[in-house]
Amino acid sequence: MNDTLDLWIQRVTLAAMVALAATLLAVGVVLYASDSEAQEPAAAATQGVP
């Protein structure tokens, strides 16, 4: 293989890995935020119960 193709493959692979990491981070933030919002009303609703 020539060096130009190897360099192109390395750049595409790096870009794909960075995009995957960013996507996983975004999904984690969304899931963490939705989990936090889901627990807030339940905690507030049970505070008035004796």
Side-chain angles (χ1 to χ4, degrees):
M1 260 195 235
N2 61 21
D3 292 335
T4 305
L5 183 60
D6 287 342
L7 185 59
W8 183 83
I9 291 171
Q10 288 178 2
R11 288 180 179 171
V12 169
T13 303
L14 178 62
M17 289 171 48
V18 169
L20 179 62
T23 302
L24 289 174
L25 183 63
V27 168
V29 167
V30 167
L31 289 175
Y32 181 75
S34 67
D35 187 39
S36 296
E37 291 174 1
Q39 291 179 0
E40 290 290 333
T46 57
Q47 287 179 355
V49 178

